[in-house]
Amino acid sequence: MSATSIVAVGNSDVEDSRKAGQEIATRALESLETRCEPSWVLAFCGGHHDPGDFLRGLRATLGDVPVVGGAAIGSITNSESGYSGFECAAAVFSDSVPLPWILTESTADGDEHGAGRRLGSKLREATGDSDSVLLFYDTLYSVGPPPELHVGSRLMAGIHEGLDGTALNLIGAGLLSDHQFSDSFLFDGRGVVRHSVLAVSVPSGLDTRSVIMHGCVPISGFHEITSIDGAIVHELGGRSALEVLTTGGFSPEALTLNCTLGCKHGDPFGPDDEAKFVNRLIIGYNKQEGWIRLFEADFKRGDMVQIMSRSNELMMESAIRNVRWLVESMEGTETVFALYIDCAGRASAICASETEEADVVREHLGDAIPLLGFYSGIEIAPIAGLSRPLDWTGVLTVFCRASDG
């Protein structure tokens, strides 16, 4: 593999927002292709920064270029990773890469399905089958308390309805500013927006290859969801959901750390490939009523799910295995850069791992490919041919020159 400099990554953790943007831009320009000008930017900004000042810092050095992206709990690059709230990073594309088209829709009314359907209709007009599109939305609807989130599953259902059969490779995230769910925002090419969903085309001439990693493994047979209300699962197989999940020896308190509910797509009796599972984090329970609360509200009555074990050891093994596979699969291609979307729950400060999982990804990806990564609230990637919101997942995508590009 050989990395090129048509895309250059810069990062910063200085506390002054404008200076952070300037520092990122300066570092990226040092590596950008000779005799090329910056054309557009993919940028992610830590939650302690003023996003408007950050944008002004970028453009003070790069000029009035479109900037897309938004809030991030932290950033990940070839040189470092962190989530103190001041980390920012950006990929600066040279003018030898075509400008993407940028589409947005408002989610301010709380109707994620309607916004998704409108965006999907626009995507259907602008794209063709198998095109790749980056998709970002700001996760937070209101700060609460408790915080209320835009529901990614409703948004994605609307997008697929609007696409009306057009098969796109949608990769993206629900963006958050911090682990406390205090803010979220997007950069829509022009400025800072909230309560929106953003779609950005992968420019012509570039192909993408992705891996999905989580490391969760099934530790039960299939259980039918027999009673569910939104994100609250009341019954599995006619028994209280909490009773079913604790039968295997888990205490209710351990469920949020050690278990997910997983829905396997494709052949239910085929190999347990992690790229076939959509996992939902368990974020609460009620001992008296016997229900559990999931992070997303997309499971429905009649779905067959399995109890999944998650651990730091399995997470690290998955990261090493999948990154190695992706790097080996890229041999002979001209790589441009890598984008890593990492669930914020996989940070060591949250999952109590001794090693940062993002550092494992950085190490095994190597320095030959410029890396832009960030910590997210929700990850979006294709499972069994359909892009879906995911939990507890890392999505690594490598961009390379198209074979006919």
Side-chain angles (χ1 to χ4, degrees), residues 65-79:
V65 297
V67 180
V68 294
I73 294 172
S75 68
I76 304 161
T77 64
N78 297 95
S79 59

Side-chain angles (χ1 to χ4, degrees), residues 162-178:
L163 284 171
D164 193 26
T166 299
L168 297 183
N169 180 37
L170 297 169
I171 299 165
L175 305 185
L176 272 175
S177 296
D178 53 45

Side-chain angles (χ1 to χ4, degrees), residues 47 101 173 180-181 198 218 246-247 253-254 279 295:
W101 44 253
Q180 289 72 45
F181 293 76
L198 167 75
T246 54
T247 298
E253 294 76 14
N279 291 285
F295 192 76

Side-chain angles (χ1 to χ4, degrees), residues 106-117:
S106 172
T107 57
D109 63 358
D111 181 9
E112 296 92 355
H113 187 275
R117 186 177 62 251

Side-chain angles (χ1 to χ4, degrees), residues 217-224 236 245 259-265 268 272 277-280 299 303-309:
V217 296
I219 55 173
S220 78
F222 291 95
H223 297 279
E224 182 182 359
L236 295 171
L245 267 73
C259 292
T260 69
L261 274 191
C263 184
K264 186 177 182 180
H265 293 268
D272 288 329
F277 282 92
V278 172
N279 291 285
R280 289 289 167 249
F299 287 174
D303 282 348
M304 304 299 291
V305 296
Q306 293 174 275
I307 303 171
M308 309 289 287
S309 173

